[in-house]
Amino acid sequence: MTTTVEQAKQLGLTNSEFDKIKELIGRTPNFTELGIFSAMWNEHCSYKSSRVWLSKLPTKNKYVIQGPGENAGVIDIGDDDVAIFKIESHNHPSYIEPYQGAATGVGGILRDVFTMGARPIANLNSIRFGRPSHPKTKYLLNGVVSGIAGYGNCMGIPTVGGEVEFDECYDGNILVNAMNIGLAKKDKVFLSIASGVGNPVIYVGSKTGRDGIHGASMASQEFDDNSEAKKPTVQVGDPFAEKLLLEACLELMKTDTIISIQDMGAAGLTSSSVEMASKGKLGIEIDLNKVPCRETEMQPFELMLSESQERMLIVLKEGKEQEAEKIFKKWDLDFSVIGKMTDSKNLVLYFNNKIVCNIPITSLADEAPKYNREWVSTPIPAEINIDKKLNDLDILDCLKKLLSHENQANKSWVWEQYDHMVMGDTVQRPGGDAAVIRVHGTDKALAATVDCTPRYCLAHPFTGGMQAVCETYRNLTAVGAEPRAITNCLNFGNPEKKEIMGQFVDVIKGMAEACQALDYPVISGNVSLYNETNGVGIKPTPTIGGVGLISNVNQTVNFALKSIGSHLIVIGKTKGHIYQSALCYDILHLKKGPPPSIELANEKKNSLFIRELIKQSLTNAVHDISDGGIALAIAEMCMAGKIGAKINTNKLFEDRVKFLFGEDQSRYIVEVNNKDLEKVKKLISSNNIDYLDIGITQKDHFEIDEMKISIDNMLELNNKWFINYNSK
């Protein structure tokens, strides 16, 4: 039965795309074939609006073993060990059904990592919600956090870091970005490139149901008032089945049986089979009657597009089927030989002994649409005169409001629901600048962080993209790690709007410049577009996941103050840039003006200096200065260490508010013992580092000039928001 352009539109294809399909295959597709094209050609799978620009990102340095194009990226961490990591979005599903949307987002990113041969060791997440007062926010927050906890905890993998933010732009479109890091040996990394005509294609894992059909297409569309009706497109996860699948796959990987392996993620059996065949420049033949099903009378269309979870597709060496089957049966998982690799270069599907699909693989992959969409750049905003409003501010009142604001509040209510200590290698827990996870049985560790400042990206996307990269670089540096590579999750609105497409282009340009200057490449990632509801888009949110190496885990630091009478030193230049700061944006609601600029040479220089201080044990505590500026950074250090501080601004800076709350980039605060002060200052001088010796640590209170607040009072203010919010 042939299809119509109206059916193509219902599946998310345009008139011109339908015409191109007919041209590529020389006829009108049947319904199964049309569904397969709709899955492979949507934004989520084909990156048709973003591929042109993603190619501009730096993807290599001396540590990169595998960059973009595989399930996850791979970097060398020495001793024949590699770290494998990636971040992915599950935004639309989590808005529709928060628990399962978030849970299956975690499950999907875990499969991306262990399908490459790695044992997952750490989860992170970046989650963003609408206004706390919005009627759906509490429901979504609780559902998402429970989903992340439920899946990760059941899998026995620690959730070690992340970020939580509230903003009205996410009222109708929350963001749930999940990241995972795994460890493997360099000679045991598995890829998805199929090879060998005649080699068997194996389906393993859970059975296929009707959950998740059209999931990838739904993730490539805007929301409207009827979005709740899309609940059937949200997948249902089973972490206990995934745990079995993880162990079975890792056991199989110890044998010499696997040619290639691929997670059945977005678009399910369709994307996994097409991607494997496409990368190997082969064809693939599948008998759909051999696909294990948990529901009756499933049709070819449903079997190919189901996004049921906990499934893998494997190409084995011919003759190794029984050896592999024995492993999966031991773990009580389905194992079925469903097809073989061919030299036809086509995707050929059989159902009830009839061919129901025969499509050239290239038409689904290489010849998928690639759009160079119209775009317009966002100019850097002009500065506005807000001096009078700033001069009238009370410093103590500003600090109290920041400490108790939902975006700066203590997030322990969230991360205490996650098991962050399972596996026994978590060195630094959530709540710091970066998580630190020991490489089991060694003295080295990985540091990991996720970060983005969307208000910067909206004001000036180029600077915002650059800053997101630099912020993770700083976070890793602050715990003593050498930053090695990033993964990214690029969340934007509708790319068909030239302003939104311009935001994407500018962010990519800013990211690329920062990655190049810092030798900090992108090795994996995900693009999530059409994050809009009723035409209202989110702020551009390029979430960056950074990973670094700590050669000696005993030389890591955190930001908790350690002793009384130490010096507090700001490393980096303070200019007092107040526009787009947390104070202006969240407290004063002054949302105009440019974000702070970044000098990449200083970013790298300051980072190298901080790492040298840590390596020489010349600092007790390090904290990067970000949201809330110097004042909030010191307050956080005081609360973490239960030690006070006293600083004097009178001789340091002309404008006290800008000095205390400005968000100039590339800066850190370090705690230095008296006995090390002269040595540190000599190093500062010899490295030509900008700095300010701004005060000392003391007991009980945080003082700024005449302002004074107890640590207990700060902790009460900082801790109460989540407690109050969830008790209502």
Side-chain angles (χ1 to χ4, degrees), residues 16 61 70 77 110 149 210 309 366 391 425 451 480 493 498 521 571 575 666:
S16 61
N61 68 9
E70 267 296 335
I77 59 170
L110 286 170
R210 290 187 170 93
Q309 297 292 284
D366 299 342
N391 291 338
D425 285 315
D451 222 304
K498 60 185 180 181
I571 300 297
K575 301 177 183 177
S666 314

Side-chain angles (χ1 to χ4, degrees), residues 632-650:
L632 191 59
I634 295 177
E636 289 170 343
M637 297 174 82
C638 291
M639 291 187 293
K642 307 289 178 63
I643 289 175
K646 182 174 184 177
I647 65 174
N648 188 331
T649 67
N650 295 328

Side-chain angles (χ1 to χ4, degrees), residues 354-534:
K354 294 180 181 178
I355 293 178
V356 294
C357 170
N358 192 347
I359 309 172
I361 294 287
T362 55
S363 68
L364 295 166
D366 299 342
E367 295 176 285
K370 183 163 68 173
Y371 297 130
N372 193 350
R373 295 195 184 277
E374 186 179 358
W375 59 279
V376 58
S377 186
T378 302
I380 193 159
E383 295 187 358
I384 56 173
N385 189 346
I386 57 174
D387 286 351
K388 186 177 187 310
K389 291 185 178 180
L390 297 181
N391 291 338
D392 293 340
L393 294 177
D394 177 85
I395 298 298
L396 180 58
D397 183 59
C398 290
L399 180 61
K400 285 182 173 181
K401 285 178 177 175
L402 278 171
L403 286 167
S404 57
H405 189 272
E406 59 264 25
N407 285 335
Q408 311 306 328
N410 182 337
K411 305 299 193 303
S412 60
W413 176 86
V414 174
W415 56 259
E416 284 174 356
Q417 297 184 55
Y418 309 145
D419 189 337
H420 45 272
M421 297 303 292
V422 66
M423 300 179 80
D425 285 315
T426 304
V427 177
Q428 285 203 32
R429 306 179 184 193
D433 286 321
V436 178
I437 315 98
R438 183 191 297 270
V439 176
H440 192 72
T442 75
D443 286 331
K444 64 186 178 186
L446 294 175
T449 184
V450 289
D451 222 304
C452 181
T453 311
R455 64 181 185 273
Y456 291 178
C457 296
L458 181 66
H460 190 234
F462 176 87
T463 303
M466 182 182 289
Q467 189 273 342
V469 171
C470 292
E471 177 67 18
T472 65
Y473 193 82
R474 241 171 275 145
N475 289 340
L476 297 175
T477 292
V479 297
E482 176 196 5
R484 291 219 162 165
I486 68 171
T487 181
N488 61 64
C489 195
L490 307 177
N491 307 274
F492 290 79
N494 185 344
E496 296 167 46
K497 298 176 180 178
K498 60 185 180 181
E499 294 80 9
I500 302 297
M501 193 65 215
Q503 291 174 349
F504 183 86
V505 171
D506 286 346
V507 161
I508 289 285
K509 288 180 176 180
M511 286 175 56
E513 194 165 312
C515 289
Q516 192 72 47
L518 301 174
D519 192 25
Y520 191 41
V522 179
I523 64 164
S524 61
N526 168 240
V527 177
S528 176
L529 302 177
Y530 295 97
N531 288 289
E532 298 201 3
T533 297
N534 293 326

